[in-house]
Amino acid sequence: GAVVSQHPSRVICKSGTSVKIECRSLDFQATTMFWYRQFPKQSLMLMATSNEGSKATYEQGVEKDKFLINHASLTLSTLTVTSAHPEDSSFYICSAPGSRTTEAFFGQGTRLTVV
Amino acid sequence: GQNIDQPTEMTATEGAIVQINCTYQTSGFNGLFWYQQHAGEAPTFLSYNVLDGLEEKGRFSSFLSRSKGYSYLLLKELQMKDSASYLCAVLDSNYQLIWGAGTKLIIKP
């Protein structure tokens, strides 16, 4: 099946710094990438939808200036958490729709800890 | 609003059978997914149902009733490695995935 590679898998950063998370589609072109956040014992919460070559669409309540999304190519989407705070500590996962308009292919996830 | 309900936690015995239920109320329906998620990892696709009935895939089967807004995931011959969270997700009319909170399945020897 299709592979989405997400890096880093774990990152610890100091409060106030920025962290970039990358998601690459390895064997297919992803015009769309979904970015999720998952807090412990909770479900996936869609943060934003990135579209290659255009601005991302953010879900209500998600700060655009804090979570910067760039989808500059058909194989790479990035999420930058700017001026991170401890409450941003979470599990961030990207996913891309597959060749069918059905199954989503997930990255491995990034565990972000802000200290 | 859109809502997906599934039990928070279930416990089963190794070698047994377990059924995880999911009920949903969404704006439109373009299919229902089951994903398996081990702690600290991303979800892994298990099954997709868009028509009523049972889809069997090895030890795992998934059932859908669109009229009842209901699905279940059936796991047979349980193994310890099946201990994980099982997420039910519905593709709504806008082709957005609406996620349930997940069911944590604990397998005991």
Side-chain angles (χ1 to χ4, degrees):
Chain A
V3 175
V4 174
S5 177
Q6 182 173 348
H7 294 280
S9 58
R10 288 178 180 272
V11 59
I12 301 173
C13 71
K14 290 184 178 180
S15 186
T17 61
S18 296
V19 173
K20 180 185 282 188
I21 302 169
E22 292 188 350
C23 270
R24 295 180 183 273
S25 54
L26 296 187
D27 52 2
F28 68 103
Q29 293 181 331
T31 55
T32 300
M33 194 77 79
F34 299 107
W35 287 94
Y36 293 92
R37 180 166 51 184
Q38 186 178 35
F39 291 106
K41 300 184 180 180
Q42 294 187 26
S43 187
L44 299 169
M45 297 297 293
L46 181 65
M47 298 176 64
T49 303
S50 75
N51 300 292
E52 187 269 334
S54 64
K55 290 183 178 180
T57 303
Y58 289 81
E59 296 300 302
Q60 194 171 9
V62 178
E63 299 175 58
K64 300 179 183 181
D65 295 332
K66 182 170 184 61
F67 299 99
L68 302 180
I69 290 175
N70 185 284
H71 197 148
S73 77
L74 289 171
T75 58
L76 175 65
S77 177
T78 62
L79 168 67
T80 301
V81 182
T82 63
S83 187
H85 291 286
E87 56 264 33
D88 298 325
S89 298
S90 186
F91 192 51
Y92 292 86
I93 311 175
C94 62
S95 79
S99 54
R100 298 175 293 170
T101 56
T102 53
E103 182 181 349
F105 300 103
F106 286 89
Q108 297 91 332
T110 298
R111 173 71 61 192
L112 170 63
T113 303
V114 184
V115 298
Chain B
Q2 311 210 81
N3 194 48
I4 295 185
D5 287 317
Q6 50 182 132
T8 304
E9 188 174 297
M10 298 182 71
T11 302
T13 306
E14 189 176 16
I17 299 173
V18 71
Q19 177 175 311
I20 303 174
N21 296 324
C22 171
T23 57
Y24 63 89
Q25 293 173 312
T26 57
S27 56
F29 180 83
N30 281 298
L32 184 144
F33 295 83
W34 284 97
Y35 282 84
Q36 180 191 61
Q37 185 179 27
H38 285 100
E41 298 180 12
T44 304
F45 171 80
L46 290 178
S47 68
Y48 170 69
N49 294 66
V50 68
L51 299 176
D52 290 348
L54 187 68
E55 295 275 345
E56 296 187 76
K57 197 183 287 187
R59 293 191 297 115
F60 293 5
S61 302
S62 56
F63 170 84
L64 174 67
S65 169
R66 287 172 297 171
S67 62
K68 295 182 180 178
Y70 167 69
S71 171
Y72 68 72
L73 179 69
L74 190 71
L75 293 77
K76 303 176 184 176
E77 300 170 17
L78 286 170
Q79 301 174 10
M80 297 303 292
K81 66 179 182 179
D82 297 330
S83 292
S85 286
Y86 291 85
L87 307 176
C88 173
V90 172
L91 204 60
D92 71 7
S93 56
N94 295 318
Y95 285 91
Q96 279 215 350
L97 273 176
I98 311 300
W99 294 87
T103 298
K104 183 179 180 180
L105 178 63
I106 300 169
I107 310 296
K108 295 185 175 179

